Amino acid sequence: MNFLDLKKQNMPQPKKSSRNKYLFISALMLVLLGAGIVFAKNAKALFDPVSVVANFTAADLKETDGRTNILILGSDHRDTLANTGVLTDTMMVASIGKTSNDVVLISLPRDLWVTSPQGNHTKVNAIYELEGADSVVKEVSDVLGIPIHYYALINFNIFEETINTLGGVDVNVETAFTDNQYPIEGKENAPEEERYQTIHFDAGIQKMDGPAALKFVRSRHGDNGEGTDFARARRQQKVIMAIKDKMTNLDVLLNPTKLKDLYQSYSKNVDTSLTFADIQAFYLLAKDLKIQSIKSVVLDDRSSAVDGGLLYAPTDTSLYGGAYVLLPKTGDYGQMHAYVQKYLFGSN
């Protein structure tokens, strides 16, 4: 369900009041950051949300053991979410602690080989295309050993449009890299020598507009160790945090034109199971979140086990149609379950 569906149900919607616009920004930040990390306390003090959310409390949110888990799916389809054949290019779970007020972001590699709820043997990023959102939610829950309470499917257009609306974002590029094989949109069927362009990012703080940020998060063939899905997942988390920093700026919260543009982008680029009531509950929960201490986890096959290296790539790929895939080192998801539990409930 998206905001357009909510309109049809005659639910409250972000229109003229500053309070409702504030709730809309809460929804957009929830999706982009995957955690409902929305407003700095000083910014929140500018508005009185009582009349808007009096009938909703954070207890209205689904939770298990005091945590609410949201699956964020990034679609690699650049048109609209209505199109079929959508692969989920990015998979991230945001887990929010209701009493601990902490946020943990867990990135899953798209090449993880699974048996889907309907019995398809495939990479995890193909389940949405084959079986739909409910199957993705169930499979990710099985892999991580935690319930998934909500999901949001995002068209990558929203990143580009949002960043442009915000006037660009500042991203700290830790490692300079060059990618000589970045695909050119619309050239998929052109001769191979015409399909790609070269992109480069210098190390340090970079001011990125929407197109630059999208290239930064989607690059898969960079040098200097940046040519992996795991490096890409870390870059995606960096851009998400940069968006969060920019969106909490009062120049955005008090600018009706920017709010309108952000809402329009959200409406056409996000499909989510969150209802308007859920968003209002996240608004209340978000005020006490420990924004500065977000923990990020990337599951991969290269790091040490303590840093998420719980997967491996089999050298014999004949069982997987010759494709590059990742499997759990222990043969099942038990080790991954324990690792996730440590980050959600233990000290690290």
Side-chain angles (χ1 to χ4, degrees):
M1 178 180 296
N2 58 33
F3 265 74
L4 297 179
D5 296 322
L6 295 177
K7 289 180 181 180
K8 296 176 182 178
Q9 297 180 16
N10 295 318
M11 286 185 171
Q13 3 172 342
K15 279 189 176 180
K16 298 180 181 179
S17 78
S18 296
R19 299 186 182 101
N20 279 344
K21 288 175 182 176
Y22 216 56
L23 286 170
F24 155 64
I25 289 291
S26 175
L28 182 57
M29 281 308 303
L30 171 66
V31 172
L32 290 177
L33 184 54
I37 303 167
V38 234
F39 310 111
K41 291 184 178 180
N42 291 337
K44 176 182 175 296
L46 293 175
F47 302 99
D48 176 11
V50 175
S51 63
V52 178
V53 298
N55 294 324
F56 301 93
T57 67
D60 289 320
L61 291 172
K62 298 176 185 177
E63 63 171 83
T64 303
D65 298 326
R67 302 197 70 88
T68 297
N69 305 316
I70 309 155
L71 174 61
I72 309 299
L73 304 170
S75 164
D76 69 353
H77 206 297
R78 296 299 307 280
D79 277 335
T80 68
L81 295 176
N83 285 300
T84 58
V86 174
L87 294 177
T88 48
D89 198 54
T90 298
M91 306 189 74
M92 181 185 300
V93 172
S95 180
I96 307 170
K98 179 182 176 183
T99 57
S100 58
N101 300 320
D102 67 320
V103 181
V104 178
L105 301 180
I106 306 169
S107 293
L108 277 168
R110 63 186 188 134
D111 293 313
L112 182 65
W113 187 260
V114 298
T115 300
S116 74
Q118 295 184 23
N120 288 299
H121 301 285
T122 182
K123 293 184 179 184
V124 70
N125 74 322
I127 295 179
Y128 182 90
E129 177 185 9
L130 295 171
E131 301 177 14
D134 289 344
S135 285
V136 182
V137 166
K138 185 178 187 307
E139 186 61 33
V140 172
S141 178
D142 290 344
V143 168
L144 297 181
I146 58 175
I148 302 299
H149 302 105
Y150 304 98
Y151 77 87
L153 175 66
I154 309 166
N155 187 309
F156 271 124
N157 286 336
I158 196 171
F159 283 95
E160 188 169 339
E161 293 175 5
T162 296
I163 290 170
N164 283 342
T165 298
L166 296 174
V169 293
D170 295 322
V171 180
N172 182 17
V173 180
E174 293 185 1
T175 304
F177 69 92
T178 300
D179 181 350
N180 295 315
Q181 299 181 59
Y182 189 85
I184 300 174
E185 187 178 0
K187 295 284 189 176
E188 293 82 5
N189 297 319
E192 186 170 356
E193 64 273 12
E194 299 177 12
R195 295 179 190 175
Y196 306 105
Q197 60 183 302
T198 297
I199 61 174
H200 174 82
F201 290 92
D202 293 319
I205 303 294
Q206 308 290 325
K207 179 67 172 290
M208 298 185 187
D209 60 9
L214 193 63
K215 290 175 181 176
F216 181 70
V217 302
R218 299 199 73 194
S219 171
R220 294 196 183 96
H221 301 284
D223 56 8
N224 291 338
E226 291 295 314
T228 69
D229 277 345
F230 318 112
R232 190 164 61 101
R234 293 186 176 93
R235 294 197 304 269
Q236 289 166 352
Q237 292 181 355
K238 278 183 172 293
V239 172
I240 287 170
M241 292 302 295
I243 293 173
K244 182 271 299 181
D245 291 339
K246 197 66 175 284
M247 287 190 102
T248 56
N249 188 303
L250 298 186
D251 290 340
V252 174
L253 296 175
L254 299 177
N255 187 318
T257 300
K258 288 185 177 181
L259 290 174
K260 177 184 176 183
D261 290 343
L262 290 170
Y263 172 70
Q264 290 177 340
S265 182
Y266 178 91
S267 298
K268 67 183 180 182
N269 289 306
V270 177
D271 174 35
T272 179
S273 60
L274 287 162
T275 67
F276 197 79
D278 294 328
I279 292 164
Q280 290 176 309
F282 271 111
Y283 176 88
L284 294 181
L285 180 61
K287 68 182 188 299
D288 293 322
L289 289 179
K290 299 174 182 176
I291 296 176
Q292 301 306 321
S293 57
I294 296 172
K295 293 181 286 188
S296 297
V297 178
V298 178
L299 301 175
D300 62 25
D301 65 339
R302 308 158 191 249
S303 306
S304 64
V306 72
D307 292 323
L310 308 179
L311 306 172
Y312 79 99
T315 54
D316 182 0
T317 60
S318 57
L319 294 176
Y320 317 105
Y324 172 82
V325 301
L326 293 172
L327 302 171
K329 288 181 177 179
T330 58
D332 59 32
Y333 300 132
Q335 187 182 27
M336 296 171 68
H337 293 179
Y339 184 82
V340 169
Q341 291 293 310
K342 181 192 76 167
Y343 268 88
L344 297 187
F345 300 105
S347 59
N348 52 356

